[in-house]
Amino acid sequence: HTAVMALFTPEMKPLTRELIAVATGFEPRSENFRLCYQFARSNFRYHRYLGPDSLKVSRGVEGLCEKFAVHSQPEQVSFLRSLVSNFLNTSLEKSFPKVSRYCMNQ
């Protein structure tokens, strides 16, 4: 458990608190805030986030493109493919520098 518990670093504490405050609107001293914080901290410490199955994602995107094509919406096909391409070519570390270092530790 020691290696897993190390994933919740001291610098994650204020980020987690900020996330809860922004997402819920709970006051930091409220019981609901405390419960949310405990839940989030536990999930960050012990949960194993699985990576996406790239084959399933590719099939899903191609299925949507096929549906757009069948319904005579070629502009939607192009737009979806460009969004997917942009997403796949985006650097997580450049887009989310504070978050990416925690994702890479797994």
Side-chain angles (χ1 to χ4, degrees):
H1 279 225
T2 307
V4 175
M5 290 174 66
L7 289 177
F8 193 84
T9 63
E11 53 192 6
M12 288 179 68
K13 186 175 181 177
L15 293 171
T16 304
R17 290 181 175 282
E18 182 180 355
L19 173 66
I20 293 167
V22 169
T24 65
F26 293 148
E27 292 296 322
R29 294 178 190 228
S30 73
E31 179 68 13
N32 286 334
F33 187 94
R34 187 183 67 75
L35 291 171
C36 287
Y37 179 77
Q38 287 176 343
F39 179 80
R41 188 171 179 180
S42 174
N43 274 281
F44 290 146
R45 281 183 162 180
Y46 303 112
H47 187 74
R48 289 288 177 214
Y49 299 92
L50 301 175
D53 182 341
S54 61
L55 185 59
K56 283 184 182 179
V57 172
S58 295
R59 285 180 183 162
V61 169
E62 285 307 311
L64 286 172
C65 289
E66 187 176 318
K67 286 180 183 181
F68 287 138
V70 166
H71 293 285
S72 300
Q73 297 178 339
E75 66 284 344
Q76 298 293 59
V77 174
S78 298
F79 184 64
L80 179 59
R81 285 198 171 126
S82 71
L83 287 175
V84 170
S85 177
N86 287 341
F87 174 75
L88 294 175
N89 292 319
T90 300
S91 168
L92 177 64
E93 195 168 340
K94 287 180 182 175
S95 299
F96 305 99
K98 286 184 177 180
V99 176
S100 65
R101 67 178 149 214
Y102 304 112
C103 298
M104 302 304 175
N105 287 335
Q106 298 184 28

